[in-house]
Each structure stands twice: as C-alpha cells, then as structure tokens.
Amino acid sequence: FAWETVHNLFSESYQSFLERFPDSLHAEAARQRVGVLEEETAWAAAQKADTILSYYQYNQRYPDWKYHRESLKAIRRLEEQQKWERVKRRNSLAGFLEYKKDYPDGQFSTEAEEGIQAIIAGQQEPGAWAKAKGQNAVAAYEAYLREYPHGAHAAEARQAVEELRRQAAEKEQIEKEDA
C-alpha cells in the first residue's frame, strides 16, 4: 500500500509539472517517467487480477513495454490451466492426449499421463477379470488384484480367493482324515 501511494504521488507530481510546464526542457523526461509509472501500475494491477483479460488489457495498452513477455507467459499459463480444467472435467483419453500434444512439458503433463494410464487400465480391466474368472484359480485372482487392487471386481476377486482357499483347506482336511 505504501509503495502504491508513493508511486501515485510521483506520477501526480510529474503530471502536475507537465500541466504547469508543458514546454519545459524536462517535459519529455517527465512524460516518459509518467508513462513508466503508469505502466508499472498497470502491470501490478494485471498481476493482482491474474486473469487472461487483465494481461490482455495490459498488452493492448503497453504492447512493447517492459513486461510484455511476462504478460504473454502469464496468458499462456492461464490458458493452459483453463485447458487442463476442461480436460479433467471431460476425463477422456482424447482430452488427455490433446493436452499432452499441446503442452508436452506442461505443468500438468504428469497428471495427464496418469489420466491416460488410468483410462487404458480401465479398458483392460474387464479382460483381466474375465481371464481370472475363467481360470478360477487363486493365482489368477491374485494376479488380477495386483494389477487392479481397486478395480471394479476387486471385492469379488478377494471373496473368490477366500472361497478357493477354504475349499482347498477342506479338501486337504478330508484327504488327511481318509489317509
């Protein structure tokens, strides 16, 4: 707050000087200083708002000034964040792949890869479950559970393992008794 006050006072002082002495030897230097101070104020406001619109408006007013590149970086960062939010909401393979194509080194590229892997795993899980169920063996169900510990059929696979182990224990007990 103190800096903004001082900043504004300096700007007002230069403007007051220019009103009183528009043709002074120092008028051009005062105009340049007013421009720099106004730009600094506009940049601070854009950063505070941190929106695409605020940086766009800064660029419109100061296209080749001090913070031009930083404002473009901020716009790209915010656009990437917006795209990522849309991709997350869609939760689709195409969306994650598109994000990775557009932002190969983006701030959310790890999360995009995780999304891709989760979708692929989700598409492979039904086949893995069918295979485990078809084999109906402890090892097959355990393999399914290692790959999909939270899968759609994880509880069913755990129950099958318990049941198969119970049956094996009963069979072993009967064989011992018969021997």
Side-chain angles (χ1 to χ4, degrees), residues 6 13 39-40 44 47 50 73 78 85 92 94 100 102 106 117 128 151 165-167 177-178:
V6 170
S13 297
E39 185 216 8
E40 292 286 340
Q47 286 183 302
D50 198 32
K73 285 181 189 175
L78 292 168
E85 290 304 318
S92 71
K100 286 195 66 168
D102 293 346
Q117 295 307 317
R165 285 188 175 148
R166 186 190 62 72
Q167 289 174 3
E177 290 173 2
D178 287 345

Side-chain angles (χ1 to χ4, degrees), residues 125-126 128-130 132-133 138 140-163:
E125 182 186 4
W129 172 245
K133 198 167 179 181
V138 170
Y141 288 120
E142 287 177 339
Y144 169 84
L145 287 168
R146 272 193 306 279
E147 194 67 31
Y148 307 100
H150 305 290
H153 302 282
E156 203 175 334
R158 286 184 189 89
Q159 288 174 345
V161 167
E162 286 179 29
E163 180 60 24

Side-chain angles (χ1 to χ4, degrees), residues 17-77:
F17 172 82
L18 286 169
E19 287 172 11
R20 290 191 352 231
F21 308 104
D23 298 321
S24 162
L25 181 62
H26 301 288
E28 185 55 34
R31 281 186 201 84
Q32 288 177 358
R33 189 65 188 141
V34 165
V36 167
L37 291 171
E38 286 176 350
E39 185 216 8
E40 292 286 340
T41 301
W43 177 244
Q47 286 183 302
K48 185 175 181 179
D50 198 32
T51 64
I52 291 172
L53 179 61
S54 67
Y55 293 116
Y56 170 77
Q57 289 171 335
Y58 169 85
N59 267 309
Q60 288 298 105
R61 189 161 181 198
Y62 304 100
D64 296 315
W65 287 54
K66 184 176 180 180
Y67 300 106
H68 175 73
R69 285 185 184 202
E70 287 87 347
S71 67
L72 293 178
K73 285 181 189 175
I75 289 170
R76 282 193 283 281
R77 173 183 53 83

